[in-house]
Amino acid sequence: MRADERTRRLPVVILTSSNEEKDLVNSYELRANSFIRKPVDFMQFNEAARQLGLYWLVYNEPAPR
């Protein structure tokens, strides 16, 4: 995605259940914008998804085009 001019500025969010540090490190080395460990509990997952939506759609300032 980062090599393509059309998609290189899109935010990349890793949403995973992995607790492996190597996955975290690798994600940021590949230039992900965020690494999120999703909660296993359904209600906590719903709340996390709501907060993520608010962040990316309301609070985050996207890169200029």
Side-chain angles (χ1 to χ4, degrees):
M1 286 182 62
R2 298 294 185 220
D4 189 323
E5 179 67 30
R6 297 170 298 169
T7 58
R8 69 184 181 110
R9 291 188 178 149
L10 289 176
V12 175
V13 178
I14 308 300
L15 181 62
T16 181
S17 59
S18 174
N19 286 324
E20 298 291 326
E21 186 173 344
K22 65 182 173 92
D23 293 335
L24 172 71
V25 170
N26 192 41
S27 294
Y28 283 116
E29 284 179 352
L30 291 171
R31 297 176 32 202
N33 298 93
S34 185
F35 185 93
I36 300 165
R37 288 189 184 102
K38 61 183 175 181
V40 177
D41 177 78
F42 183 72
M43 295 304 287
Q44 290 177 345
F45 176 79
N46 277 344
E47 179 60 17
R50 186 187 70 75
Q51 290 180 20
L52 286 169
L54 282 174
Y55 172 74
W56 287 107
L57 297 174
V58 177
Y59 299 114
N60 182 57
E61 291 288 333
R65 291 187 174 234

